[in-house]
Coordinates of all heavy atoms in Angstrom, one line a residue:
M181 N 97.3 79.1 86.8 CA 96.9 80.4 86.6 C 97.3 81.2 87.9 O 97.2 80.8 89.0 CB 95.3 80.5 86.5 CG 94.7 81.8 86.3 SD 92.9 81.9 86.2 CE 92.5 80.5 85.2
P182 N 97.9 82.4 87.7 CA 98.4 83.3 88.7 C 97.2 83.7 89.5 O 96.2 83.9 89.1 CB 99.1 84.4 87.9 CG 99.2 84.1 86.5 CD 98.2 82.9 86.3
T183 N 97.6 84.0 90.8 CA 96.7 84.5 91.7 C 97.1 85.9 92.1 O 98.3 86.2 92.4 CB 96.6 83.7 93.0 OG1 96.3 82.3 92.7 CG2 95.7 84.3 94.0
L184 N 96.2 86.9 92.1 CA 96.4 88.3 92.3 C 95.5 88.7 93.6 O 94.5 88.0 93.8 CB 96.1 89.2 91.2 CG 96.8 89.0 89.8 CD1 96.1 89.8 88.8 CD2 98.3 89.2 90.0
S185 N 96.1 89.6 94.3 CA 95.3 90.1 95.5 C 95.3 91.6 95.5 O 96.3 92.2 95.1 CB 95.7 89.5 96.8 OG 96.9 90.0 97.1
A186 N 94.2 92.2 95.9 CA 94.2 93.7 96.0 C 93.2 94.1 97.1 O 92.2 93.5 97.3 CB 93.8 94.2 94.7
E187 N 93.6 95.2 97.7 CA 92.7 95.7 98.7 C 91.8 96.7 98.0 O 92.2 97.5 97.1 CB 93.4 96.4 99.8 CG 94.2 95.5 100.6 CD 94.8 96.1 101.9 OE1 94.3 97.2 102.4 OE2 95.8 95.6 102.4
V188 N 90.4 96.6 98.2 CA 89.5 97.6 97.6 C 88.6 98.2 98.7 O 88.6 97.8 99.8 CB 88.7 96.9 96.5 CG1 89.5 96.3 95.3 CG2 87.9 95.7 97.1
R189 N 88.1 99.3 98.3 CA 87.2 100.1 99.2 C 85.9 99.2 99.4 O 85.6 98.4 98.6 CB 86.8 101.4 98.6 CG 87.9 102.3 98.5 CD 87.4 103.7 98.0 NE 86.4 103.5 96.9 CZ 86.4 104.0 95.7 NH1 87.3 104.8 95.4 NH2 85.5 103.7 94.8
E190 N 85.2 99.4 100.4 CA 84.0 98.7 100.8 C 82.9 98.8 99.6 O 82.2 97.9 99.3 CB 83.4 99.3 102.1 CG 84.1 98.9 103.4 CD 84.1 97.4 103.7 OE1 83.0 96.8 103.4 OE2 85.0 96.9 104.3
E191 N 82.8 100.1 99.0 CA 81.9 100.3 97.9 C 82.3 99.5 96.8 O 81.3 99.0 96.1 CB 81.9 101.9 97.7 CG 81.6 102.7 98.8 CD 82.8 103.2 99.5 OE1 83.9 103.4 98.9 OE2 82.8 103.2 100.7
T192 N 83.5 99.3 96.5 CA 84.0 98.6 95.3 C 83.6 97.1 95.6 O 83.0 96.4 94.6 CB 85.4 98.7 95.1 OG1 85.7 100.1 94.8 CG2 85.9 97.9 93.8
A193 N 83.8 96.6 96.7 CA 83.5 95.2 97.1 C 82.0 95.0 96.9 O 81.5 93.9 96.5 CB 84.0 94.9 98.6
A194 N 81.1 95.9 97.4 CA 79.8 95.8 97.4 C 79.3 95.8 95.9 O 78.5 95.0 95.5 CB 79.0 96.9 98.1
D195 N 79.9 96.8 95.1 CA 79.6 96.9 93.6 C 80.0 95.4 93.0 O 79.2 95.0 92.1 CB 80.3 98.0 92.9 CG 79.8 99.3 93.3 OD1 78.6 99.4 93.8 OD2 80.5 100.2 92.9
L196 N 81.1 95.0 93.3 CA 81.5 93.7 92.7 C 80.5 92.6 93.0 O 80.1 91.8 92.1 CB 82.9 93.3 93.4 CG 83.3 91.8 93.0 CD1 83.5 91.7 91.5 CD2 84.6 91.5 93.7
E197 N 80.0 92.5 94.3 CA 79.0 91.4 94.7 C 77.8 91.6 93.9 O 77.1 90.7 93.4 CB 78.7 91.5 96.1 CG 79.9 91.1 97.0 CD 80.3 89.6 96.7 OE1 79.5 88.8 96.3 OE2 81.5 89.4 97.0
A198 N 77.3 93.0 93.7 CA 76.1 93.3 93.0 C 76.2 93.0 91.5 O 75.3 92.3 91.0 CB 75.7 94.7 93.2
V199 N 77.3 93.3 90.9 CA 77.5 92.8 89.5 C 77.6 91.4 89.3 O 77.0 90.8 88.3 CB 78.7 93.5 88.9 CG1 79.1 93.0 87.5 CG2 78.5 95.0 88.9
A200 N 78.3 90.7 90.2 CA 78.4 89.2 90.1 C 77.0 88.5 90.2 O 76.7 87.6 89.5 CB 79.2 88.7 91.3
E201 N 76.1 89.1 91.0 CA 74.7 88.6 91.2 C 74.0 89.0 89.8 O 73.3 88.0 89.3 CB 74.1 89.3 92.4 CG 72.8 88.7 92.6 CD 72.1 89.2 93.9 OE1 72.8 89.3 94.9 OE2 70.9 89.4 93.9
L202 N 74.1 90.1 89.3 CA 73.4 90.5 88.0 C 73.9 89.5 87.0 O 73.0 89.1 86.2 CB 73.8 91.9 87.6 CG 73.0 93.0 88.4 CD1 73.8 94.3 87.9 CD2 71.6 93.0 88.1
L203 N 75.2 89.2 86.9 CA 75.7 88.3 85.9 C 75.5 86.9 86.0 O 75.6 86.0 85.2 CB 77.2 88.5 85.7 CG 77.7 89.9 85.2 CD1 79.2 90.0 85.3 CD2 77.1 90.2 83.8
G204 N 75.1 86.5 87.4 CA 74.9 85.2 87.6 C 76.2 84.4 87.8 O 76.3 83.2 87.5
D205 N 77.3 85.2 88.0 CA 78.7 84.6 88.2 C 79.2 84.6 89.5 O 78.6 85.5 90.4 CB 79.6 85.3 87.3 CG 79.4 85.1 85.8 OD1 78.9 84.0 85.4 OD2 79.8 86.0 85.0
D206 N 80.2 83.9 89.9 CA 80.9 84.0 91.1 C 81.8 85.2 91.2 O 81.9 85.9 90.2 CB 81.6 82.8 91.6 CG 82.7 82.5 90.6 OD1 83.4 83.3 90.0 OD2 82.8 81.2 90.2
R207 N 82.2 85.5 92.3 CA 83.1 86.8 92.5 C 84.3 86.7 91.6 O 84.7 87.6 91.0 CB 83.4 87.0 93.9 CG 84.1 88.2 94.2 CD 84.4 88.6 95.6 NE 84.6 87.4 96.5 CZ 84.7 87.2 97.7 NH1 84.8 88.5 98.4 NH2 84.9 86.2 98.3
E208 N 85.0 85.6 91.6 CA 86.3 85.4 90.9 C 86.0 85.6 89.3 O 86.8 86.3 88.7 CB 87.0 84.0 91.1 CG 87.4 83.9 92.5 CD 86.4 83.7 93.6 OE1 85.2 83.3 93.2 OE2 86.6 83.8 94.8
T209 N 84.9 85.0 88.8 CA 84.7 85.2 87.5 C 84.3 86.6 87.2 O 84.8 87.1 86.0 CB 83.5 84.2 87.0 OG1 83.8 82.9 87.4 CG2 83.1 84.4 85.5
T210 N 83.6 87.3 87.9 CA 83.3 88.6 87.7 C 84.5 89.6 87.8 O 84.7 90.4 86.9 CB 82.3 89.2 88.9 OG1 81.1 88.2 88.7 CG2 81.9 90.6 88.6
I211 N 85.4 89.3 88.7 CA 86.7 90.0 88.8 C 87.4 89.8 87.4 O 88.0 90.7 86.9 CB 87.5 89.6 90.0 CG1 86.9 90.0 91.2 CG2 89.0 90.2 89.8 CD1 87.5 89.5 92.6
E212 N 87.5 88.6 87.0 CA 88.3 88.3 85.7 C 87.7 89.0 84.5 O 88.4 89.7 83.7 CB 88.3 86.8 85.5 CG 89.0 86.4 84.2 CD 90.5 86.6 84.2 OE1 91.1 86.5 85.3 OE2 91.1 86.7 83.1
K213 N 86.4 89.0 84.4 CA 85.6 89.6 83.4 C 86.0 91.3 83.4 O 86.1 91.9 82.4 CB 84.2 89.4 83.4 CG 83.8 88.1 83.0 CD 82.4 87.9 83.1 CE 81.8 86.5 82.6 NZ 80.5 86.3 82.7
A214 N 85.9 91.8 84.7 CA 86.0 93.2 84.8 C 87.4 93.6 84.5 O 87.6 94.6 83.9 CB 85.7 93.6 86.3
L215 N 88.4 92.8 85.0 CA 89.8 93.0 84.7 C 90.0 93.1 83.1 O 90.6 93.9 82.5 CB 90.8 92.2 85.2 CG 91.1 92.5 86.7 CD1 91.9 91.3 87.3 CD2 92.0 93.7 86.8
Q216 N 89.5 92.0 82.5 CA 89.7 91.9 81.0 C 89.1 93.2 80.2 O 89.8 93.7 79.4 CB 89.2 90.6 80.5 CG 89.5 90.3 79.1 CD 91.1 90.2 78.9 OE1 91.8 89.7 79.7 NE2 91.5 90.9 77.9
E217 N 87.9 93.4 80.6 CA 87.2 94.5 79.9 C 87.9 95.8 80.2 O 88.1 96.7 79.5 CB 85.7 94.6 80.4 CG 84.9 93.5 79.7 CD 83.3 93.6 79.9 OE1 82.9 94.7 80.1 OE2 82.7 92.6 80.1
G218 N 88.4 96.0 81.6 CA 89.1 97.3 81.9 C 90.4 97.4 81.3 O 90.8 98.5 80.8
L219 N 91.1 96.2 81.1 CA 92.4 96.3 80.4 C 92.2 96.7 78.9 O 93.0 97.4 78.3 CB 93.1 95.0 80.5 CG 93.7 94.7 81.9 CD1 94.2 93.3 82.1 CD2 94.7 95.8 82.4
E220 N 91.2 96.0 78.3 CA 90.9 96.4 76.9 C 90.6 97.8 76.8 O 91.1 98.5 75.9 CB 89.7 95.6 76.3 CG 90.1 94.1 76.2 CD 88.9 93.2 75.9 OE1 87.8 93.7 75.7 OE2 89.0 91.9 75.9
T221 N 89.7 98.4 77.7 CA 89.4 99.8 77.6 C 90.6 100.7 77.8 O 90.8 101.8 77.1 CB 88.4 100.2 78.7 OG1 87.2 99.4 78.5 CG2 88.1 101.6 78.8
L222 N 91.6 100.3 78.7 CA 92.7 101.1 78.9 C 93.7 101.1 77.7 O 94.3 102.1 77.4 CB 93.5 100.6 80.2 CG 92.8 100.9 81.5 CD1 93.6 100.1 82.6 CD2 92.8 102.4 81.7
R223 N 93.8 99.9 77.0 CA 94.7 99.8 75.9 C 94.2 100.7 74.8 O 94.9 101.4 74.1 CB 94.7 98.4 75.4 CG 95.6 97.4 76.3 CD 95.4 96.0 75.8 NE 96.5 95.8 74.6 CZ 97.7 95.6 74.7 NH1 98.3 95.3 75.9 NH2 98.4 95.6 73.6
V224 N 92.8 100.7 74.6 CA 92.3 101.5 73.5 C 92.5 103.0 73.9 O 92.8 103.8 73.1 CB 90.8 101.2 73.3 CG1 90.1 102.3 72.5 CG2 90.6 99.9 72.7
R225 N 92.3 103.3 75.2 CA 92.5 104.8 75.6 C 93.9 105.3 75.4 O 94.1 106.4 74.8 CB 92.1 104.9 77.1 CG 92.3 106.4 77.6 CD 92.1 106.6 79.0 NE 90.9 106.0 79.5 CZ 90.7 105.7 80.8 NH1 91.7 105.9 81.8 NH2 89.6 105.0 81.2
V226 N 95.0 104.4 75.7 CA 96.3 104.8 75.5 C 96.4 104.9 74.0 O 97.1 105.9 73.5 CB 97.3 103.8 76.1 CG1 98.7 103.9 75.6 CG2 97.2 103.8 77.6
A227 N 96.0 104.0 73.1 CA 96.1 104.1 71.7 C 95.6 105.4 71.1 O 96.2 106.0 70.3 CB 95.5 102.8 71.0
V228 N 94.3 105.7 71.6 CA 93.7 107.0 71.2 C 94.5 108.1 71.5 O 94.7 109.0 70.6 CB 92.2 107.1 71.8 CG1 91.7 108.4 71.6 CG2 91.3 106.0 71.2
E229 N 95.0 108.2 72.7 CA 95.8 109.3 73.2 C 97.1 109.5 72.3 O 97.4 110.5 71.9 CB 96.2 109.2 74.6 CG 94.9 109.3 75.6 CD 95.2 108.9 77.0 OE1 96.4 108.6 77.4 OE2 94.3 109.2 77.9
R230 N 97.8 108.4 72.2 CA 99.0 108.5 71.4 C 98.9 108.7 69.9 O 99.6 109.4 69.3 CB 99.9 107.2 71.6 CG 100.3 107.1 73.1 CD 101.3 105.9 73.2 NE 101.6 105.8 74.7 CZ 102.4 104.8 75.1 NH1 102.8 103.8 74.3 NH2 102.8 104.9 76.4
Y231 N 97.7 108.2 69.4 CA 97.4 108.5 68.0 C 97.0 109.9 67.8 O 97.5 110.6 66.7 CB 96.2 107.6 67.5 CG 95.8 107.7 66.1 CD1 96.7 107.2 65.0 CD2 94.8 108.3 65.7 CE1 96.3 107.3 63.8 CE2 94.3 108.5 64.4 CZ 95.2 108.0 63.4 OH 94.9 108.1 62.1
Q232 N 96.1 110.5 68.7 CA 95.8 111.8 68.6 C 96.9 112.9 68.6 O 96.9 113.8 67.9 CB 94.7 112.2 69.7 CG 93.4 111.7 69.4 CD 92.4 112.0 70.4 OE1 92.8 112.1 71.7 NE2 91.2 112.4 70.0
T233 N 97.9 112.5 69.3 CA 99.1 113.4 69.5 C 100.1 113.1 68.3 O 101.1 113.9 68.2 CB 99.8 113.2 70.7 OG1 100.4 111.8 70.8 CG2 99.1 113.4 72.0
G234 N 99.8 112.1 67.5 CA 100.7 111.9 66.4 C 101.9 111.0 66.7 O 102.9 110.8 65.9
E235 N 102.0 110.6 68.0 CA 103.1 109.7 68.5 C 103.2 108.4 67.9 O 104.3 107.9 67.7 CB 102.9 109.5 70.0 CG 104.0 108.9 70.7 CD 103.8 108.8 72.3 OE1 103.1 109.6 72.7 OE2 104.3 107.9 72.8
V236 N 101.9 107.9 67.4 CA 102.0 106.6 66.8 C 101.2 106.6 65.5 O 100.4 107.4 65.3 CB 101.4 105.4 67.7 CG1 102.3 105.3 69.0 CG2 99.9 105.8 68.1
S237 N 101.5 105.7 64.7 CA 100.8 105.5 63.4 C 99.4 104.6 63.6 O 99.3 104.1 64.7 CB 101.7 104.7 62.4 OG 101.8 103.4 62.8
I238 N 98.8 104.5 62.5 CA 97.5 103.6 62.6 C 98.0 102.2 63.1 O 97.3 101.7 63.9 CB 96.9 103.6 61.3 CG1 96.3 105.0 61.0 CG2 95.8 102.5 61.2 CD1 95.7 105.1 59.6
G239 N 99.1 101.6 62.5 CA 99.4 100.2 62.8 C 99.9 100.2 64.2 O 99.7 99.3 65.0
E240 N 100.6 101.2 64.7 CA 101.1 101.1 66.0 C 100.0 101.3 67.0 O 99.9 100.7 68.0 CB 102.2 102.3 66.2 CG 103.5 102.0 65.5 CD 104.4 103.3 65.4 OE1 103.9 104.4 65.5 OE2 105.6 103.0 65.5
A241 N 99.0 102.1 66.6 CA 97.8 102.3 67.6 C 97.1 101.0 67.7 O 96.6 100.6 68.7 CB 96.9 103.4 67.0
A242 N 97.0 100.2 66.5 CA 96.3 99.0 66.5 C 97.0 98.0 67.4 O 96.4 97.2 68.1 CB 96.1 98.4 65.1
D243 N 98.3 98.0 67.3 CA 99.1 97.1 68.2 C 98.9 97.4 69.6 O 98.8 96.5 70.4 CB 100.6 97.2 67.8 CG 101.0 96.6 66.5 OD1 100.2 95.7 66.0 OD2 102.1 96.9 66.1
I244 N 99.0 98.8 70.0 CA 98.7 99.1 71.4 C 97.3 98.7 71.8 O 97.1 98.2 73.0 CB 98.8 100.7 71.6 CG1 100.3 101.0 71.3 CG2 98.3 101.1 73.0 CD1 100.5 102.4 71.3
A245 N 96.3 98.8 71.0 CA 95.0 98.4 71.3 C 94.7 97.0 71.1 O 93.6 96.5 71.6 CB 94.0 99.3 70.4
D246 N 95.7 96.3 70.7 CA 95.6 94.8 70.5 C 94.5 94.5 69.7 O 93.6 93.6 70.0 CB 95.5 94.1 71.9 CG 95.8 92.6 71.8 OD1 96.6 92.2 70.9 OD2 95.2 91.8 72.6
C247 N 94.4 95.0 68.4 CA 93.4 94.7 67.6 C 94.1 94.8 66.0 O 95.2 95.3 65.9 CB 92.2 95.7 67.7 SG 92.5 97.4 67.3
T248 N 93.2 94.6 65.1 CA 93.7 94.6 63.7 C 93.6 96.1 63.2 O 93.0 96.9 63.9 CB 92.8 93.8 62.8 OG1 91.5 94.4 62.7 CG2 92.8 92.4 63.2
V249 N 94.3 96.4 62.2 CA 94.2 97.7 61.7 C 92.8 98.1 61.3 O 92.3 99.2 61.5 CB 95.2 97.9 60.4 CG1 95.0 99.2 59.7 CG2 96.6 97.8 60.9
A250 N 92.1 97.2 60.8 CA 90.7 97.4 60.3 C 89.8 97.6 61.6 O 89.0 98.7 61.6 CB 90.1 96.2 59.6
D251 N 90.1 96.9 62.6 CA 89.4 97.2 63.9 C 89.7 98.7 64.4 O 88.8 99.4 64.9 CB 89.6 96.2 65.0 CG 89.0 94.9 64.7 OD1 87.9 94.8 63.8 OD2 89.4 93.8 65.2
W252 N 90.9 99.0 64.4 CA 91.5 100.2 64.8 C 90.8 101.4 64.0 O 90.3 102.4 64.5 CB 92.9 100.4 64.7 CG 93.3 101.9 65.1 CD1 93.8 102.7 64.2 CD2 93.3 102.5 66.3 NE1 93.9 104.0 64.8 CE2 93.5 103.8 66.0 CE3 92.8 102.1 67.6 CZ2 93.6 104.8 67.2 CZ3 92.8 103.0 68.6 CH2 93.2 104.4 68.4
L253 N 90.7 101.2 62.8 CA 90.0 102.3 61.9 C 88.5 102.4 62.2 O 88.1 103.6 62.3 CB 90.1 101.9 60.4 CG 91.6 101.9 59.8 CD1 91.7 101.5 58.4 CD2 92.1 103.4 59.9
E254 N 87.9 101.3 62.6 CA 86.6 101.4 63.2 C 86.5 102.2 64.5 O 85.6 103.0 64.7 CB 85.9 100.0 63.3 CG 84.5 100.0 63.6 CD 83.9 98.6 63.7 OE1 84.2 97.7 62.8 OE2 83.1 98.3 64.5
I255 N 87.4 101.8 65.4 CA 87.5 102.5 66.7 C 87.8 104.1 66.4 O 87.0 104.8 67.1 CB 88.6 101.9 67.5 CG1 88.3 100.6 68.1 CG2 88.9 102.8 68.7 CD1 89.3 99.8 68.6
A256 N 88.7 104.3 65.6 CA 89.0 105.8 65.3 C 87.8 106.4 64.7 O 87.6 107.7 65.0 CB 90.2 105.8 64.3
H257 N 87.0 105.8 63.8 CA 85.8 106.4 63.3 C 84.9 106.6 64.4 O 84.2 107.7 64.3 CB 85.3 105.5 62.1 CG 84.0 106.0 61.6 ND1 84.0 107.1 60.7 CD2 82.7 105.6 61.7 CE1 82.7 107.3 60.4 NE2 81.9 106.4 61.0
E258 N 84.6 105.6 65.2 CA 83.6 105.8 66.2 C 83.9 106.9 67.2 O 83.1 107.6 67.8 CB 83.5 104.5 67.1 CG 82.8 103.4 66.4 CD 82.9 102.0 67.0 OE1 83.5 102.0 68.2 OE2 82.4 101.1 66.5
K259 N 85.3 107.2 67.4 CA 85.7 108.3 68.4 C 86.0 109.6 67.6 O 86.5 110.5 68.2 CB 87.0 107.7 69.0 CG 86.6 106.6 69.9 CD 87.7 106.2 70.9 CE 87.4 105.1 71.8 NZ 86.4 105.5 72.7
N260 N 85.7 109.6 66.3 CA 85.8 110.8 65.5 C 87.2 111.3 65.5 O 87.5 112.5 65.6 CB 84.8 111.9 65.9 CG 83.5 111.5 65.6 OD1 83.1 111.0 64.6 ND2 82.5 111.7 66.6
L261 N 88.2 110.4 65.4 CA 89.6 110.8 65.5 C 90.1 111.4 64.1 O 89.7 110.8 63.1 CB 90.6 109.6 65.8 CG 90.3 109.0 67.2 CD1 91.2 107.8 67.4 CD2 90.4 109.9 68.3
T262 N 90.8 112.4 64.1 CA 91.3 113.0 62.9 C 92.6 112.1 62.4 O 93.4 111.7 63.3 CB 91.9 114.4 63.2 OG1 90.8 115.1 63.7 CG2 92.4 115.0 62.0
A263 N 92.7 111.8 61.2 CA 93.8 110.9 60.8 C 95.1 111.6 61.0 O 95.3 112.8 60.6 CB 93.7 110.6 59.3
Q264 N 96.0 110.9 61.5 CA 97.4 111.4 61.8 C 98.2 110.4 60.9 O 98.8 109.5 61.4 CB 97.8 111.3 63.3 CG 96.9 112.0 64.3 CD 97.0 113.5 64.1 OE1 98.1 114.0 63.8 NE2 95.9 114.2 64.5
Y265 N 98.3 110.7 59.7 CA 98.9 109.8 58.8 C 100.0 110.3 57.8 O 99.6 111.3 57.0 CB 97.8 109.2 57.8 CG 98.0 107.7 57.4 CD1 98.1 106.7 58.4 CD2 98.1 107.4 56.1 CE1 98.3 105.3 57.9 CE2 98.3 106.2 55.7 CZ 98.5 105.2 56.6 OH 98.7 103.9 56.1
A266 N 101.1 110.0 57.9 CA 102.2 110.4 57.0 C 102.5 109.4 56.0 O 102.3 108.3 56.1 CB 103.5 110.7 57.8
P267 N 102.8 110.0 54.7 CA 103.0 109.0 53.7 C 103.9 107.9 53.9 O 103.6 106.8 53.4 CB 103.6 109.9 52.5 CG 103.0 111.4 52.9 CD 103.0 111.4 54.4
E268 N 104.9 108.1 54.6 CA 105.9 107.0 54.9 C 105.3 105.9 55.8 O 105.7 104.9 55.9 CB 107.2 107.6 55.5 CG 107.0 108.2 56.8 CD 106.7 109.7 56.8 OE1 106.6 110.3 55.6 OE2 106.7 110.4 57.8
Q269 N 104.3 106.2 56.5 CA 103.6 105.2 57.3 C 102.7 104.3 56.6 O 102.4 103.2 57.0 CB 102.7 105.9 58.4 CG 103.5 106.7 59.5 CD 102.6 107.6 60.3 OE1 101.6 108.1 59.8 NE2 102.9 107.7 61.6
L270 N 102.3 104.6 55.3 CA 101.5 103.9 54.4 C 102.1 102.5 54.2 O 101.4 101.5 54.3 CB 101.2 104.5 53.1 CG 100.4 103.7 52.1 CD1 99.0 103.5 52.7 CD2 100.2 104.6 50.9
A271 N 103.3 102.4 53.9 CA 104.0 101.1 53.6 C 104.0 100.2 54.8 O 103.7 99.1 54.8 CB 105.4 101.3 53.0
D272 N 104.3 100.8 55.9 CA 104.3 100.0 57.2 C 103.0 99.5 57.5 O 102.8 98.2 57.9 CB 104.8 100.8 58.4 CG 106.4 101.2 58.3 OD1 107.0 100.5 57.6 OD2 106.8 102.1 59.0
D273 N 102.0 100.3 57.5 CA 100.6 99.9 57.8 C 100.0 99.0 56.7 O 99.3 98.1 57.2 CB 99.7 101.1 57.9 CG 99.9 101.9 59.2 OD1 100.6 101.4 60.1 OD2 99.6 103.1 59.3
A274 N 100.3 99.1 55.4 CA 100.0 98.2 54.4 C 100.5 96.7 54.8 O 99.9 95.8 54.7 CB 100.3 98.7 53.2
A275 N 101.8 96.9 55.1 CA 102.5 95.5 55.4 C 101.7 94.8 56.7 O 101.6 93.7 56.7 CB 104.0 95.6 55.7
T276 N 101.5 95.6 57.6 CA 100.7 95.1 58.8 C 99.4 94.5 58.5 O 99.1 93.4 59.0 CB 100.6 96.2 59.9 OG1 101.9 96.7 60.3 CG2 99.9 95.7 61.1
A277 N 98.7 95.2 57.6 CA 97.3 94.8 57.3 C 97.4 93.5 56.6 O 96.6 92.6 56.6 CB 96.7 95.8 56.4
I278 N 98.5 93.3 55.7 CA 98.6 92.1 54.9 C 99.2 90.9 55.7 O 98.6 89.8 55.5 CB 99.5 92.3 53.6 CG1 98.8 93.3 52.7 CG2 99.9 91.0 53.0 CD1 99.7 93.8 51.6
D279 N 100.1 91.2 56.5 CA 100.7 90.1 57.3 C 100.9 90.5 58.7 O 101.9 91.1 59.2 CB 102.2 89.9 56.7 CG 102.9 88.8 57.3 OD1 102.2 87.7 57.9 OD2 104.0 88.6 57.5
P280 N 99.7 90.3 59.5 CA 99.8 90.8 61.0 C 100.7 90.0 61.7 O 101.4 89.7 62.3 CB 98.4 90.5 61.4 CG 97.7 89.7 60.4 CD 98.5 89.7 59.2

């Protein structure tokens, strides 16, 4: 497993220790969980932004968010996104839904 290092502010280090204690985990496990959840959040944020501007289709947004089209549609619904859907995208997205 690769090792990463980063300098963080004192407040961030203190927050990390507090959250690790709340979770009953060690610092390394807490960092891994925080990174994973943060990366998932960032992927969804980028997918939402690109989908809202019409830059990507439903299937492409799902790929960016690293989820299925069905999961993306649920995310889009939760975020009250307006459909950015051109007829030519239907075939691509249907193919993605059938054979991810």
Side-chain angles (χ1 to χ4, degrees):
M181 184 179 316
T183 300
L184 303 174
S185 65
E187 291 187 27
V188 296
R189 297 182 317 229
E190 291 289 330
E191 303 86 41
T192 303
D195 285 345
L196 172 63
E197 293 298 333
V199 171
E201 187 174 321
L202 285 171
L203 295 173
D205 288 332
D206 59 40
R207 185 173 33 182
E208 291 78 16
T209 301
T210 303
I211 291 169
E212 179 69 25
K213 286 178 179 179
L215 275 172
Q216 189 59 44
E217 287 185 32
L219 292 171
E220 289 171 9
T221 299
L222 289 172
R223 290 180 74 90
V224 169
R225 182 185 309 158
V226 169
V228 165
E229 290 169 359
R230 291 185 180 175
Y231 182 73
Q232 282 182 318
T233 64
E235 185 180 334
V236 299
S237 69
I238 290 172
E240 291 167 327
D243 287 343
I244 292 168
D246 195 29
C247 65
T248 65
V249 170
D251 288 340
W252 171 254
L253 291 173
E254 187 174 320
I255 291 167
H257 177 74
E258 289 170 359
K259 296 190 177 293
N260 295 317
L261 299 179
T262 304
Q264 305 289 331
Y265 208 66
E268 62 272 5
Q269 294 170 326
L270 179 59
D272 290 341
D273 290 340
T276 300
I278 293 169
D279 186 27

